[in-house]
Amino acid sequence: MKNYATIILLIICGFTQCQQPHSLLYKEVHNQGFACVTDDTISFVLPQGDYYYGLYQKRDSLIIVSDNLFSDRNHHIEICECDTSTMEIEMFSLEKHWGYGYVANTDTNLYLERAERIVAFFDNDNQFRVSDTTGKISFNKEELKKLGDTLSLFVFVDGKSFRTEITIPTVPGYKYIVKQKRFQMNPFVTKKGRPYAYNPMIGISPNNKKLFFFYDDQHKIEYNLIDTYGSCFNELHKYYPDL
């Protein structure tokens, strides 16, 4: 009886979750990113480092993406105590020390730098707050009472290469220090009206051999099909092992 049960389980497994999903794997023409498409999921990394993982809909030759399910995977948070009357948020981004003028800068190291000016959208993007040059956003006790038990924010360092989404408890007396994991690792922004939400038109050729991101008549990113089997999550994980 146990052997029959094992055989049945293997048969079910072979046709359901144990079966590797069929996918289309593309590489950017200059090998600066990838795209992977299954029946209902797409993941990609653009040449400048924007990444996406989530659901999509197909309309003729167009791919319409939904919410980025991994928009909060590019940071880690450290927590420390602060003034008991407020809750605070600070951000640190990975930056290079660029050269000025015509002087070449040979320093290619990355430095974790405390942001001077950060912006946060919250309350379903109906409100926003800017730190000016203090590098710190704060909410007082009265504000926190109105926001509920947790607060979800889209936060970014103004003028730098770091943006992310965070969800934190609305408890006064704590400071949340948000640190970028990798240089130029940023979620592809899908919500209209948000900063950095470019929303290019994503097209796929009739024979599935090519995938395109159209920003305008002058700006197109092209991907070529290289494989038809694999995992879209695993491909993204190759680029960002600590995703």
Side-chain angles (χ1 to χ4, degrees):
M1 181 65 71
K2 183 181 292 186
N3 290 337
Y4 284 116
T6 301
I7 293 172
I8 293 172
L9 179 61
L10 289 173
I11 293 173
I12 295 174
C13 188
F15 285 98
T16 56
Q17 62 262 45
C18 293
Q19 188 176 26
Q20 185 81 354
H22 179 267
S23 63
L24 302 173
L25 178 60
Y26 301 83
K27 286 289 185 179
E28 196 267 339
V29 292
H30 302 294
N31 202 30
Q32 295 180 341
F34 84 96
C36 179
V37 183
T38 67
D39 291 339
D40 59 0
T41 305
I42 183 172
S43 66
F44 57 78
V45 171
L46 298 176
Q48 66 267 31
D50 292 9
Y51 69 90
Y52 176 89
Y53 183 87
L55 301 177
Y56 77 93
Q57 293 181 341
K58 190 175 180 182
R59 299 176 187 171
D60 298 324
S61 61
L62 296 180
I63 289 176
I64 313 298
V65 297
S66 185
D67 290 338
N68 192 339
L69 300 179
F70 288 176
S71 59
D72 59 348
R73 299 290 187 93
N74 63 329
H75 70 266
H76 60 87
I77 295 179
E78 296 178 3
I79 305 172
C80 62
E81 295 182 352
C82 67
D83 190 304
T84 56
S85 64
T86 64
M87 182 186 75
E88 299 177 349
I89 300 170
E90 289 184 347
M91 296 182 71
F92 283 76
S93 61
L94 287 166
E95 304 295 339
K96 291 183 178 180
H97 286 180
W98 304 103
Y100 294 95
Y102 296 100
V103 179
N105 189 342
T106 58
D107 185 0
T108 59
N109 294 320
L110 293 173
Y111 299 90
L112 194 62
E113 297 183 348
R114 181 178 179 273
E116 293 184 354
R117 181 180 170 89
I118 62 177
V119 183
F121 284 78
F122 59 100
D123 187 22
N124 291 319
D125 293 347
N126 292 315
Q127 300 186 60
F128 73 94
R129 189 156 298 183
V130 183
S131 69
D132 293 326
T133 58
T134 63
K136 180 170 58 179
I137 289 176
S138 62
F139 296 85
N140 61 42
K141 281 184 176 180
E142 301 307 316
E143 292 174 317
L144 294 176
K145 289 179 182 178
K146 299 176 183 178
L147 293 171
D149 295 332
T150 60
L151 178 61
S152 296
L153 309 99
F154 173 71
V155 292
F156 63 92
V157 180
D158 193 24
K160 301 292 184 178
S161 61
F162 182 29
R163 59 183 179 271
T164 191
E165 295 203 40
I166 62 173
T167 299
I168 52 179
T170 52
V171 180
Y174 291 95
K175 177 166 65 176
Y176 297 90
I177 304 171
V178 185
K179 295 185 177 181
Q180 188 175 22
K181 285 182 179 179
R182 291 176 178 268
F183 182 60
Q184 292 184 328
M185 178 184 178
N186 288 302
F188 181 80
V189 178
T190 58
K191 291 186 178 179
K192 293 182 178 180
R194 279 187 174 181
Y196 304 101
Y198 299 111
N199 288 314
M201 184 172 64
I202 306 174
I204 191 168
S205 64
N207 60 5
N208 293 331
K209 296 294 185 181
K210 293 183 179 293
L211 191 75
F212 304 94
F213 286 74
F214 296 96
Y215 287 84
D216 52 48
D217 293 339
Q218 306 298 322
H219 188 189
K220 178 180 73 174
I221 303 174
E222 182 177 331
Y223 295 75
N224 294 325
L225 181 69
I226 64 168
D227 200 355
T228 58
Y229 201 68
S231 164
C232 290
F233 172 78
N234 288 344
E235 289 301 322
L236 187 59
H237 197 256
K238 289 177 184 178
Y239 278 76
Y240 304 122
D242 51 357
L243 193 68

